[in-house]
Structures are given as structure tokens and as C-alpha cells.
Amino acid sequence: MEKAERRWLYVLIVVFVIVNVVTLSSLIPWQSWQIWQDPEPSQVVNIAYEDYTITMDTPVEIKTGEFVEFAATSADVTYGFGVFREDNSMVFQMQVLPGRVNRITWKFDETGTYDVRSTEYSGPKHSDMVVRDAIVVK
Amino acid sequence: MTNFGKMEKWTLRFAVVALLFLALSGFEGMLMRTQLYDVDSLHGMEAFLNNLRPGDIEPTTAELYYAMLTAHPVVGIYGFVYMAVFGAFYFLVPYLINKPVKHPKLVVTNFWLQIIGVMVCWASGFFGLFNAMYTLYWPLPVAFDRVPVLGSIFFMLGAAAIMVNILLFSYNIFKTVLSKNGDGSYTLGQFLRAAFGIPRLMKLFGKEDKTAVNLDYNGLPPFIVAVARGSIDTVINAIVLLTAGVLILIYGLFALFGNPLNPLAVDALIYKNVYWWGLDMVADGNALIYTAGVWYLLVPLLTGRKLFGANVVKTVIMVDLLVSMGVWSHHLLGDTSQPMWMKILSGQLITWGEYFTMGLTIFVSLMTIWKARPVKMTPPMKFVLGSMFGFVMGGISGLIQANVGLNLIFHNTQWVVALHAHTFLLSGVGTMLFSVIYTLVPMLTGLEFKHKKLVDWHLWLWLIGNVSMAYAMGMAGSNGMVRRTLYTGGEFTTNTLVAIIGGSIAAIGFLVFLVNLISTIGFKNVLALVIPEGKQKLPVPATSAD
């Protein structure tokens, strides 16, 4: 290996270590409960998907700083569960596969009203799968 | 009219059809962006095209949009990229190892079967309204209340033709390299061991591979090793996709004859893992390693200098094989049922292996150019550098989304498809393929490109247009714009408009290239490519393919 190549490899290794250590650590807020902790949720929100319809008791009322588990099931094809702010930016999302309970835990730190949208293509009517004002965080 | 050799003519034919598929794919992309900007904008065209469709059907705008979205990547990847790769490799591999193509008739088969396969897939969308996307997430392609059963059957037949064709192409390339003609004779075992990097792996552990002719991949040029190495991924990709296609085809045929099978008999998560394991091989085998191989070939050729750090390059090719086998989970980071250890290991950490292999590849290529200063900035050299820029941009955005934490807000957004996939394919692979065309046209025809300034216009319009398009949609993705979603409420229109302008700039760059290419080769010569040999007046010279 040439000297210049070795030096370049060291640079690559340093960048690799720094980026992965930082992004796997709790410096990314949700990594603390996605990877490192197993927090007990204060409530479980069940969501059912079938025939292009998202069924959930709305509005879901959540307090900031509390852990909430979203448990989604599909009776037919793969969908997505995405939570969006009023300006359409995404808070988080997961895939909803049929044949299993798809779970994700989240802790909201901003009050507000949130929409739920299917984030996975499920057929030509997929774009209409939006539940407005589905979640209210106080 | 210039008298081209037989194999040269076939390579040019592959290139011409590849460019036509790129134009079709780009046109589809522009139509879809226009619909994203204003969902009602194409109603006139939709009504006109409905007259061409069989039966008395009036599909919705959404059905047409998603059918086009399903056909679009098939045309772009298997029409444009694969056709260009077939044509280039059928000329370069025999040329570099000084052996003729083992089965010349397969070259013709590859040409037609690829066109038929891609067009059947395209027609399944246009006429049959097949809309399950290229990802074919189970059980959507067999949910026949959403996906037309006839469209699904024909799409799978087209896809099967493409996959069988890829296997035939790989077989022909392997047989050509392994043939006993010429100086170098290798057994299949030696060649596969070279492609898998076994001799180098053993060398790392201080042992000698006694079956290898020597430790430098049996004396093969790095480009040939990269082709062999990439072909392993390409073959795996074809086998996995062929298997999935046959499975969907069986479900379709049973449904067609009134005996539908139970979709839940197949586990959606296991299917998704296997499917992505195979599908992602396109990115590794075709986009990464084939491209690396082309750089290993072109950079020394264009600079007149031996590739810097060639030993490391050979190790890189070997390591990337191991990487490519283990990275598929970065497509499943949004699946909470996927074990977290697989997401971190396969989805994130092993994916960074590609950062090392491509990082070293780009470094050795740039070092070779640096040490060869002053370097003449020929058309292919400019496009080689442009393609490296495309790979760096597409690679960095890919690493950002292939992160267990960040994927929660990037998964399935426009970030993924614009800043990563389209940057990789258009600014990276597309620009690399243009560098190959700028190299091969003078080699094949003996003609230099006529208008040097048009080469610069092509380069800058192509890169600026594609980067603007990718950046605009990538930013929309980071703000929550989901991919494969036809927004109807006026959301993200500013980003979409910028992307339309960017796409138009890239399209103008492409047209500039076509003008330069046709005026260089001559319109009569381009026409001669589509006239069957028997009907041409000029004699065809004997070539390596005869």
C-alpha cells in the first residue's frame, strides 16, 4: 500500500468512527429509546389498516415528555405509519407489514397537532391515506 | 457512409437503443413531475392516450401516474444502463483480453430480448396499468383488487425475459474470458476464485493460492476482474428477481383461472429481506463495481499512466464482494420487525463498507490523474471526473439515509429517490456511461467528436440540471415529502418546479450530446445501424465476432 493511500485510509476510518459513534449515541435524541433503553410507554395507541383505510381513535391526546407506543397492524398489504407536523415535515415513520404487529415508541417534545399519513405505497388510492389532526400533543 | 465492423456495429446499436431508453425514461420523469406540480395538468394527454388503450376503460390520474412510476425505473435501469453496459462490455472485454466473443449469436439475442423485456414491462404499465412499483412489496403485486391481474402477468413475463437475458449475457462474458483462444487460458475455478478475491485473501493471511496462475488475479486487467466481480452480483440479482417474478406469476395465473392463492402464505418480512438482498445487488454489481472497473480502465488509458495503487484496487474489488452480500438491510431500516442488530450491522455499518471501497477507488483514480499532470482534458476525462462527483454526492446522501437514527425521518422520502438514487444513476452512472461513449465512438468509428464546445455544454448542462433536480427534491424529502405519493393539495410545488427546471436543463444537455453524436457519426451511418446486414449494399468486414 502506498503511503498516500494509507493516510487516506486513516482519514476514512476516522470519519467512519466519528459519524457512527455520534449517530448511534444518544446525541440523536430518539436513539436513546430506540437502541439503548426500553422505556415503559404511558399509553399504547392501536392503529388498524385495511382497504386503504387507517382506523384509530382520534384525536389521540399525548403529553410532551411521555413515552407512547404506536402499534399498527395491516389486514391486507404493506402500508406506512408516518406522523407529520402541520407544515408537512415528518416527525417519524415506520413500515406497516401485514401478518405482524409493527411497533414504535416515541416521545414528543413539541406541543401541537399532528397528521398521520401512510408513507408506503399500497395501490393507486394510497395518496388519500391521510388522517388530519390525528394526534394532539399538549 | 463509413463501413463499421460487425461487433462495432452491435456496440453502437446497443448504445443508440440505450440512449432512446434514457430519453423515454427522462420524458416519463418530466411528465410525473408535471403531475406532481399540478395534478390536473395532463388531463388532455390522458384523454388522448386512453383512446389507444384496449377496452372502454377510463383510468384515474392516480392509476396512470403510478403505472408510469412503476415502468420508469425499469426503462431507466434495464433499458438505458444495462443496454449501454451490454454494448460497452461486448466490445471492451474481447478487446482487452484479445479473444473474440465466445457466442456472437448471443449478442444479437441479448440485444433483442432486452428490448422486448423492457417494452413488455413498459406496455404492462401503459396498457395493463400495472402499478405495484419495482419494489414489488409482498403482497401488493398479488393484491388483484389494486393491481390488474393481466398487467401483473405481463409485467412478470417482461421482467423474466430481462432476467434470463442478463443471465445469458453474464454466461457469454464468462465463456469469452474462459475460452481457450488466445494467450490466456483460465479454468472456471481459477476465474471464480479471482473474482471472489480468494488469492488475495489468502495472501493477506500469509498463504499462497496454489491454483492461481499468479496472485494478481491470474494476470487479468483490473477492469476484467471488476466485470467478473460485478457479474456475480448481477447474476444473483437476476436469479432473485426471476424467482420473485415467477412466484408472482404463479399467483397471477391461479387468480386468472378463478383459483386465487392465499397471499398470507408468504411472509412479507422474509420476502422483503430476500428480495432486497437480490435487488440491492444492482447497486453494488452494476452501479458501483462496473463503474469502478470503467474508471480503472479509462483513467490509465486517458492519462497514459499506470493506475496508482493497483494492488489496493484489487483488494477493494474483493472486499466489496463481501460488502455487497451484507448491505441489504439498509432498505429495511423502517421495518420495526426487523431485528435491531441486523439494522445496525447490515443496514448501517456494513453499508459503510461501500464508503471505504468507493472512497479508495476514487482516491486512486484521482491520484493517478494528479500524478499524470499536465493532463489533457479530453471529453471522456471530463465525464470521468463528473461521474466521480456524482458518486460522491449520491454516496454521501446514501450514507445519511442508511443510518438507523436518521432513517426514521428520511425513509421513503424524496431524499432517498432524488439525492441518492437519481444522483447515483444520472450524475454518477449516466455520466460514467457518457465517458464510455466519448471513448468508444472514436475507437469504433475512427471519427473524433466534431464539436468540442458542445461536449462542454453537454457536461455542464447535464450535471447542473441533474444536481438542481436532485437537490430540490432532496430538500423536499428532508421537509417530509414522501416518495411514490401523488400530492393533490398544492404541497411542495416550489421544490417540484425547481426540479422541473433542473430536469429540463439536463434534457437540453442530452439533446446537445445527441446533436454532436449524430453530426459526428453521420445521419446515414446512424440509419445504417437499423438496416439489417443482408439489405446493406456495403460489404461487412470480418471482425473478432465472426
Side-chain angles (χ1 to χ4, degrees):
Chain A
M1 185 179 252
E2 305 265 356
K3 198 188 223 178
E5 278 176 300
R6 201 176 303 123
R7 285 180 179 168
W8 177 241
L9 185 59
Y10 292 152
V11 172
L12 293 178
I13 291 170
V14 168
V15 173
F16 165 77
V17 171
I18 291 173
V19 172
N20 283 284
V21 166
V22 168
T23 58
L24 285 172
S25 75
S26 299
L27 287 170
I28 297 209
W30 55 86
Q31 293 292 57
S32 62
W33 68 83
Q34 293 292 324
I35 300 176
W36 305 112
Q37 299 167 17
D38 190 14
E40 189 67 32
S42 59
Q43 64 173 308
V44 176
V45 179
N46 292 306
I47 311 113
Y49 288 72
E50 187 172 10
D51 194 21
Y52 294 114
T53 305
I54 305 172
T55 304
M56 59 192 290
D57 291 329
T58 58
V60 177
E61 295 196 354
I62 298 169
K63 288 180 185 168
T64 54
E66 282 188 357
F67 287 105
V68 182
E69 181 183 278
F70 295 92
T73 54
S74 165
D76 39 42
V77 300
T78 299
Y79 296 93
F81 174 76
V83 175
F84 292 80
R85 300 180 188 87
E86 287 178 313
D87 64 359
N88 287 317
S89 61
M90 190 193 291
V91 182
F92 67 92
Q93 56 80 47
M94 70 168 166
Q95 296 272 289
V96 180
L97 267 62
R100 60 191 74 229
V101 181
N102 305 270
R103 302 173 193 276
I104 189 166
T105 299
W106 201 258
K107 185 172 77 173
F108 289 85
D109 57 6
E110 289 175 26
T111 58
T113 306
Y114 297 82
D115 296 339
V116 166
R117 174 187 279 278
S118 176
T119 51
E120 183 54 80
Y121 177 75
S122 54
K125 295 178 186 169
H126 139 78
S127 306
D128 302 329
M129 293 182 67
V130 185
V131 182
R132 299 283 175 204
D133 305 332
I135 299 169
V136 176
V137 179
K138 294 178 177 172
Chain B
M1 196 161 72
T2 310
N3 197 9
F4 303 136
K6 193 169 184 179
M7 189 50 71
E8 286 82 347
K9 189 178 276 187
W10 276 109
T11 293
L12 287 170
R13 281 177 177 149
F14 275 106
V16 167
V17 175
L19 293 172
L20 289 174
F21 277 131
L22 174 62
L24 174 60
S25 180
F27 181 61
E28 288 172 341
M30 294 300 284
L31 289 180
M32 287 185 286
R33 293 241 188 279
T34 307
Q35 284 179 306
L36 271 180
Y37 181 74
D38 177 3
V39 72
D40 299 323
S41 57
L42 300 181
H43 280 180
M45 181 191 254
E46 289 168 13
F48 171 73
L49 293 177
N50 279 343
N51 295 325
L52 303 176
R53 294 189 170 91
D56 193 20
I57 55 165
E58 285 201 16
T60 63
T61 295
E63 284 174 317
L64 295 172
Y65 175 85
Y66 291 119
M68 190 158 29
L69 192 56
T70 300
H72 174 68
V74 177
V75 176
I77 295 171
Y78 293 101
F80 165 52
V81 176
Y82 270 79
M83 281 300 268
V85 165
F86 285 179
F89 287 9
Y90 267 139
F91 175 75
L92 288 171
V93 171
Y95 179 81
L96 287 169
I97 59 173
N98 199 24
K99 293 178 183 180
V101 171
K102 181 69 178 174
H103 301 292
K105 285 184 180 170
L106 263 185
V107 178
V108 184
T109 306
N110 284 148
F111 179 79
W112 288 111
L113 196 53
Q114 194 74 1
I115 294 174
I116 291 168
V118 171
M119 286 316 294
V120 168
C121 286
W122 180 86
S124 307
F126 187 84
F127 295 109
L129 300 174
F130 179 72
N131 61 67
M133 304 292 141
Y134 74 98
T135 41
L136 299 174
Y137 284 155
W138 194 265
L140 181 61
V142 298
F144 298 119
D145 56 331
R146 301 157 196 245
V147 176
V149 64
L150 275 177
S152 178
I153 288 171
F154 277 100
F155 186 89
M156 295 311 148
L157 289 173
I162 294 170
M163 298 311 147
V164 168
N165 199 40
I166 290 168
L167 294 175
L168 291 175
F169 165 76
S170 301
Y171 168 79
N172 206 9
I173 289 290
F174 270 70
K175 285 296 280 186
T176 301
V177 176
L178 296 172
S179 69
K180 302 292 181 191
N181 301 338
D183 296 333
S185 288
Y186 320 102
T187 64
L188 178 63
Q190 283 175 321
F191 191 51
L192 282 178
R193 286 168 75 82
F196 277 94
I198 304 295
R200 296 205 66 78
L201 192 65
M202 289 176 72
K203 190 182 178 187
L204 282 178
F205 291 101
K207 293 186 177 175
E208 188 180 344
D209 181 3
K210 294 204 169 111
T211 61
V213 177
N214 61 50
L215 288 178
D216 287 336
Y217 287 112
N218 301 329
L220 290 167
F223 171 73
I224 299 293
V225 182
V227 170
R229 176 32 218 102
S231 296
I232 292 172
D233 282 1
T234 306
V235 166
I236 293 172
N237 167 265
I239 291 171
V240 171
L241 267 59
L242 186 61
T243 308
V246 169
L247 178 68
I248 296 165
L249 192 60
I250 291 169
Y251 269 78
L253 290 172
F254 270 86
L256 187 69
F257 293 111
N259 293 300
L261 301 172
N262 177 16
L264 297 179
V266 176
D267 184 279
L269 185 64
I270 294 173
Y271 170 94
K272 198 172 180 180
N273 270 282
V274 175
Y275 189 80
W276 269 120
W277 181 72
L279 186 56
D280 196 66
M281 297 280 175
V282 169
D284 296 296
N286 210 315
L288 294 183
I289 284 300
Y290 281 171
T291 298
V294 169
W295 290 339
Y296 300 151
L297 174 69
L298 289 189
V299 169
L301 194 72
L302 298 171
T303 58
R305 193 182 169 89
K306 198 181 157 202
L307 190 67
F308 177 86
N311 275 337
V312 172
V313 161
K314 289 166 185 168
T315 307
V316 161
I317 296 173
M318 174 199 78
V319 171
D320 195 78
L321 178 74
L322 305 175
V323 171
S324 73
M325 297 289 160
V327 296
W328 79 93
S329 258
H330 59 226
H331 294 283
L332 286 97
L333 295 181
D335 290 275
T336 53
S337 302
Q338 182 82 339
M340 182 54 84
W341 69 267
M342 279 182 75
K343 291 186 189 181
I344 294 174
L345 184 66
S346 158
Q348 181 168 328
L349 298 179
I350 297 181
T351 299
W352 273 78
E354 290 174 343
Y355 148 89
F356 283 104
T357 55
M358 288 311 276
L360 283 168
T361 294
I362 290 174
F363 179 74
V364 298
S365 301
L366 290 177
M367 280 298 284
T368 307
I369 297 168
W370 178 258
K371 285 186 172 286
R373 286 169 299 152
V375 176
K376 192 179 175 191
M377 279 293 156
T378 55
M381 178 59 88
K382 289 173 184 175
F383 277 81
V384 162
L385 290 170
S387 68
M388 285 179 194
F389 165 77
F391 269 91
V392 170
M393 184 174 159
I396 290 172
S397 55
L399 288 175
I400 291 171
Q401 78 206 26
N403 182 284
V404 171
L406 300 178
N407 191 265
L408 253 72
I409 49 173
F410 283 121
H411 190 87
N412 256 6
T413 65
Q414 288 283 344
W415 173 285
V416 177
V417 72
L419 266 178
H420 176 58
H422 277 77
T423 304
F424 243 29
L425 283 168
L426 295 173
S427 301
V429 177
T431 311
M432 177 274 290
L433 289 173
F434 283 127
S435 76
V436 174
I437 293 173
Y438 278 116
T439 306
L440 285 188
V441 166
M443 285 174 76
L444 296 170
T445 65
L447 302 165
E448 288 299 325
F449 271 86
K450 256 188 180 175
H451 308 289
K452 304 291 178 208
K453 283 205 169 172
L454 290 190
V455 175
D456 290 339
W457 277 101
H458 173 209
L459 177 72
W460 289 111
L461 289 171
W462 178 255
L463 285 180
I464 290 170
N466 282 319
V467 168
S468 329
M469 180 174 75
Y471 183 77
M473 296 313 286
M475 289 305 102
S478 69
N479 287 320
M481 187 177 185
V482 180
R483 70 188 292 201
R484 299 175 185 148
T485 299
L486 182 58
Y487 286 88
T488 55
E491 302 96 327
F492 304 106
T493 48
T494 306
N495 295 72
T496 307
L497 182 61
V498 175
I500 290 171
I501 295 168
S504 304
I505 293 170
I508 294 168
F510 178 67
L511 289 175
V512 165
F513 163 72
L514 288 184
V515 168
N516 202 7
L517 181 69
I518 292 169
S519 66
T520 299
I521 297 179
F523 192 64
K524 279 186 182 173
N525 285 322
V526 176
L527 278 183
L529 293 173
V530 295
I531 299 171
E533 256 106 48
K535 296 194 175 178
Q536 289 179 28
K537 289 175 185 172
L538 289 170
V540 178
T543 67
S544 58
D546 291 323

